[in-house]
């Protein structure tokens, strides 16, 4: 099938819950996902997602939701960071409820408030999880699904391999599981669906898309990266985040120095350090993502090593589905992997 034709729909527990054609979320990405990328993915049959914090204020976020609505009539998602230090969560949640944003994905703190408010307007809530314990908690609170953030993912990666984490969650949960981490091709998607996932959440692959609103150098760095070029750094937010090992990352190192470590651990300074790191990390990332700079701080997961081309986001979704449908295990093994493009 050519990439111009839409592959046939794939119904899973996830697509039935969310109402999209394919079980593919373009994961929310700080400073990367904008209205155009989200709408392109949703229009192609996936679920485009964006973090509300990509906009400087709730008013700007509100305008972004209106813009996505104007660009697509398909479901899309907003990511809300719900921990105590997230200052805008209540106001941004009000916007999500006002516009009946079809899906909200929560990260960090308790999703209780979000679930109550979004369910009241008929929307769905997915929650990022990295452990079974937390997944059970959000299921009990009424979450409509979990995003299982596994080792190798872009952003704040989980610690458990998807080969273990997906079947582990599947044994204990009734709600749909979305696998996230390292997925860029349809045969990988087939593999995690076989393990018990009913959708995938993909970040890094969509940075190397025509629509992603980031500098060309960043997209090229993803195309040129090998899996082993991805390292975890604590320098951005205090907790490990996946980045490409650029000369700048090598220069500044990936660990906190002893004083930073101390301040991050102690009650009296923990919160302030978190906020300071968040602010400094944001400034640094913003620069690296949008303008040419030698201070190259580029977030990406290990899947970067499998990405060879920058493509339109809709084509990425359709290629994934075509690869998914043609994935098979040849006699004698060996996989059905293609180039991913
Ligand atoms: C640059 C970057 C920024 C991200 N920002 C966020 C974010 O703001 N909120 C969130 O829930 N996940 C964030 N993620 C995680 C993605 O939504 C997704 O779960 C992850 O990228 C999946 O792994 P993959 O990159 O290997 O496909 C980010 C990922 C990347 C690469």
């Amino acid at each position: 099938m050519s990439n111009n034709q839409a592959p046939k729909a794939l119904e899973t527990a996830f697509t039935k819950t969310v109402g999209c054609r394919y079980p593919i979320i373009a994961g929310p990405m700080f400073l990367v996902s904008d209205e155009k990328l989200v709408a392109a993915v949703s229009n192609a049959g996936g679920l485009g997602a964006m973090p509300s914090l990509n906009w400087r204020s709730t008013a700007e976020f509100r305008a972004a939701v209106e813009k996505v609505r104007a660009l697509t009539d398909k479901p899309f998602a907003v990511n809300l960071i719900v921990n105590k230090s997230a200052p805008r969560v209540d106001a941004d949640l009000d916007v999500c409820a006002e516009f009946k944003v079809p899906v909200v994905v929560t990260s960090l703190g308790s999703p209780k408030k979000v679930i109550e408010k979004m369910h009241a307007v008929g929307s769905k809530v997915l929650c990022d999880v990295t452990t079974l314990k937390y997944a059970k908690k959000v299921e009990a609170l009424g979450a409509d699904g979990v995003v299982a953030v596994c080792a190798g993912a872009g952003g704040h990666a989980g610690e458990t391999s998807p080969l273990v984490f997906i079947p582990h969650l599947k044994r204990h949960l009734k709600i749909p599981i979305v696998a996230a981490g390292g997925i860029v091709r349809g045969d990988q998607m087939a593999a995690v669906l076989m393990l018990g996932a009913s959708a995938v959440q993909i970040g890094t692959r969509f940075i190397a898309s025509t629509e992603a609103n980031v500098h060309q150098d960043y997209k090229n760095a993803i195309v040129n990266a090998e899996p082993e070029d991805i390292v975890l750094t604590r320098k951005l937010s205090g907790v490990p985040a996946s980045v490409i090992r650029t000369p700048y990352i090598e220069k500044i190192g990936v660990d906190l120095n002893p004083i930073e470590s101390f301040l991050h651990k102690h009650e009296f300074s923990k919160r302030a350090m978190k906020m300071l790191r968040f602010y400094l990390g944001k400034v640094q990332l913003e620069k690296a993502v949008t303008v040419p700079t030698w201070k190259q701080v580029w977030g990406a997961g290990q899947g970067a090593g499998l990405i060879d081309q920058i493509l339109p986001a809709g084509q990425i979704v359709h290629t994934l589905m075509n690869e998914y449908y043609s994935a098979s295990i040849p006699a004698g093994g060996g996989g059905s992997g293609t180039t991913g493009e």
Side-chain angles (χ1 to χ4, degrees), residues 202-222:
I202 298 180
T204 302
R205 181 65 192 93
F206 286 100
I207 303 173
S209 70
T210 322
E211 289 85 349
N213 190 19
V214 299
H215 197 271
Q216 191 65 29
D217 290 353
Y218 183 7
K219 297 184 188 184
N220 292 342
I222 287 184

Side-chain angles (χ1 to χ4, degrees), residues 27-30 51 79 107 128 152-155 180-183 201-204 207 218 299:
M29 288 184 282
F30 189 49
N79 168 232
S107 358
D128 281 357
I183 300 161
Q201 173 161 293
I202 298 180
T204 302
I207 303 173
Y218 183 7

Side-chain angles (χ1 to χ4, degrees), residues 31-114:
L31 302 175
V32 177
S33 320
D34 68 357
E35 304 92 324
K36 255 175 47 194
L37 178 60
V38 169
V41 170
S42 290
N43 282 331
L47 185 77
M50 58 195 198
S52 71
L53 293 180
N54 274 1
W55 289 271
R56 274 172 231 272
S57 65
T58 297
E60 284 183 30
F61 165 58
R62 192 174 194 283
V65 172
E66 278 182 317
K67 188 163 172 197
V68 174
R69 263 281 151 76
L71 294 172
T72 183
D73 57 357
K74 302 282 189 300
F76 66 97
V78 164
N79 168 232
L80 295 178
I81 293 179
V82 290
N83 65 356
K84 285 188 196 118
S85 53
R88 269 174 39 194
V89 61
D90 289 331
D92 290 357
L93 176 58
D94 284 346
V95 171
C96 292
E98 179 193 341
F99 285 87
K100 298 189 172 66
V101 167
V103 181
V104 170
V105 185
T106 67
S107 358
L108 303 174
S110 168
K112 189 168 184 281
K113 205 166 42 177
V114 178

Side-chain angles (χ1 to χ4, degrees), residues 80-248:
L80 295 178
I81 293 179
V82 290
N83 65 356
K84 285 188 196 118
S85 53
R88 269 174 39 194
V89 61
D90 289 331
D92 290 357
L93 176 58
D94 284 346
V95 171
C96 292
E98 179 193 341
F99 285 87
K100 298 189 172 66
V101 167
V103 181
V104 170
V105 185
T106 67
S107 358
L108 303 174
S110 168
K112 189 168 184 281
K113 205 166 42 177
V114 178
I115 292 171
E116 283 167 7
K117 193 142 195 168
M118 295 315 293
H119 280 182
V121 297
S123 299
K124 305 293 180 190
V125 179
L126 308 174
C127 304
D128 281 357
V129 303
T130 53
T131 62
L132 173 64
K133 191 173 162 202
Y134 191 64
K136 280 181 163 170
K137 223 181 231 176
V138 302
E139 183 177 58
L141 287 172
D144 300 288
V146 292
V147 179
V149 183
C150 300
H156 293 122
E159 288 183 359
T160 311
S161 157
L163 286 174
V164 175
F165 196 37
I166 305 301
H168 183 48
L169 290 178
K170 184 68 186 169
R171 285 198 300 175
H172 299 279
L173 300 184
K174 293 194 176 59
I175 53 178
I177 298 161
V178 180
I183 300 161
V184 304
R185 311 192 317 199
D187 57 345
Q188 295 171 293
M189 184 175 152
V192 290
L193 261 62
M194 184 173 275
L195 293 174
S198 61
V200 292
Q201 173 161 293
I202 298 180
T204 302
R205 181 65 192 93
F206 286 100
I207 303 173
S209 70
T210 322
E211 289 85 349
N213 190 19
V214 299
H215 197 271
Q216 191 65 29
D217 290 353
Y218 183 7
K219 297 184 188 184
N220 292 342
I222 287 184
V223 168
N224 294 327
E226 301 293 334
E228 60 273 19
D229 294 329
I230 306 303
V231 292
L232 290 172
T233 177
R234 288 177 193 273
K235 289 277 188 191
L236 299 179
S237 60
V239 293
S242 296
V243 293
I244 301 177
R245 183 182 21 215
T246 59
Y248 180 65

